[in-house]
Amino acid sequence: MAIQLFVPRFHVDECLEQIRECLEKGWTGMGFKTLEMEAAWKSYTGLANAHFLSSNTAGLHLALEVFRRRFGWREEDEIITTPLTFVSSNHAILYAGLKPVFADVDEYLCLDPQSVRDRITPRTRAVMFVGLGGNSGQYEAIRDLCREHGLKFILDAAHMSGTRIDGRHAGHDADVSVFSFQAVKNLPTADSGMICFAEEEDDAAVRKLSWLGINKDTFSRTAAQGDYKWMYDVETLGYKYHGNSIMAAIALVQLKYLDEENTYRRQLAAWYEEALQGRDIGLVPVAANCQSSRHLFQVLVPRRNETLAQLNARQIFPGVHYRDNTEYSLYASGAGTCPRAAQASNSIISLPLHLSMTREDVGTVAENLRDIVSQASPTGTGRISA
Ligand SMILES: *Cc1c(COP(=O)(O)O)cnc(C)c1O
């Protein structure tokens, strides 16, 4: 039987029950379940604000838009970011008319504080930190660097639903954190996300921006009077980025099982670590104070592409997260500036990790990987140099 990278688990009957409520009520859009999900997310994470959106990509764009407008950031102002991410993180910077400046990664495959420090200029406005695979890497050092230099700390928390850092949910000390509940993330819906600003003013701004710039305060005032529902104001050019009640209905159910499921993800990761110890395979460490969601289990191997092809031939289908974004034409201006990310890009593999896997499945993957790597390179190592 083939072993796939991701197989999302849905609590089908409970999801259908929640969706049925929306359909029977005749309310599938924004409001109703989206508000319930926002309240549930705030209570689960302890974050001060939460606004439910159509995706994390939309959320990252909005995060930058809200700050750009509030602080008067100019075109080509710089955002320091990682090349080792899904392109959404960096596209969002371009959507907002800002300039991505790539810094290198560390042994956690997250942004390296020293490299970030080296990239700071008078035009730097923020750092975009990606908690790769649910790992927090050197999160605190980057956060402190941001405070020291008056930069906004933006957390792309697409992989961090349920990640705790020193016992607190990821994002509590970020200026904004953006989560993804996309179809194969560790809190899967179909497409949705959550944006959590530290400041209430920014939360109020994003609620307007995510709904075409419509001022909902005016809306609710007039709606409360029963008449003049069309009498809202439009203050600014916004976007159609808000979430809907069908996605929120699914998210509410999935959230109930998140901790339990992340615990099993960490168990799978621990089995992998045990089975792969001391071999020619580089294990990506998790920060000591981080209880990772374990969205991913990544290793570094020699001759990665051949290794992947051989695993596929054995019915094992891992993934790659991610290719160094500066390898893409759109970001080619950053090529050659982040050697560790470039090296990782050519040696990382995300091993299959999902809730239907057993200890035996982990053993099967590990055994095949060890076998392939030892044949390919009896002495080489996938570990990236510091
Ligand atoms: C999935 C992902 C995104 C985008 O999330 P969507 O909800 O699909 O828009 C952004 N950043 C990272 C690191 C991701 O993995």
Side-chain angles (χ1 to χ4, degrees), residues 31-107:
F32 186 39
K33 291 287 175 193
T34 65
L35 296 173
E36 243 184 80
M37 179 57 192
E38 288 170 0
W41 187 251
K42 284 197 285 186
S43 133
Y44 171 77
T45 57
L47 297 176
N49 299 292
H51 181 45
F52 190 66
L53 295 172
S54 56
S55 73
N56 160 295
T57 307
L60 293 172
H61 180 198
L62 289 172
L64 289 155
E65 274 300 324
V66 166
F67 290 148
R68 184 181 70 75
R69 294 175 188 213
R70 180 172 168 199
F71 299 106
W73 294 353
R74 304 279 187 80
E75 204 166 313
E76 294 290 294
D77 275 354
E78 296 166 3
I79 311 296
I80 298 175
T81 182
T82 170
L84 211 62
T85 185
F86 188 55
V87 287
S88 291
S89 327
N90 295 319
H91 279 17
I93 298 170
L94 295 180
Y95 293 155
L98 301 161
K99 183 181 172 190
V101 172
F102 294 101
D104 213 347
V105 299
D106 57 13
E107 69 268 32

Side-chain angles (χ1 to χ4, degrees), residues 190-259:
D191 264 313
S192 58
M194 193 74 88
I195 187 164
C196 303
F197 280 100
E199 292 191 31
E200 208 170 314
E201 175 185 345
D202 296 328
D203 182 69
V206 83
R207 283 168 193 278
K208 288 175 204 159
L209 267 192
S210 69
W211 191 34
L212 302 147
I214 292 172
N215 183 335
K216 272 203 288 181
D217 297 340
T218 324
F219 174 72
S220 29
R221 263 202 307 281
T222 47
Q225 291 166 4
D227 285 321
Y228 302 108
K229 284 192 179 167
W230 41 270
M231 274 295 276
Y232 51 74
D233 189 20
V234 181
E235 303 171 321
T236 178
L237 181 63
Y239 305 89
K240 185 75 166 63
Y241 280 172
H242 63 78
N244 69 61
S245 284
I246 302 292
M247 289 302 119
I250 299 174
L252 276 163
V253 175
Q254 300 292 98
L255 176 58
K256 287 202 296 183
Y257 297 94
L258 182 62
D259 277 341

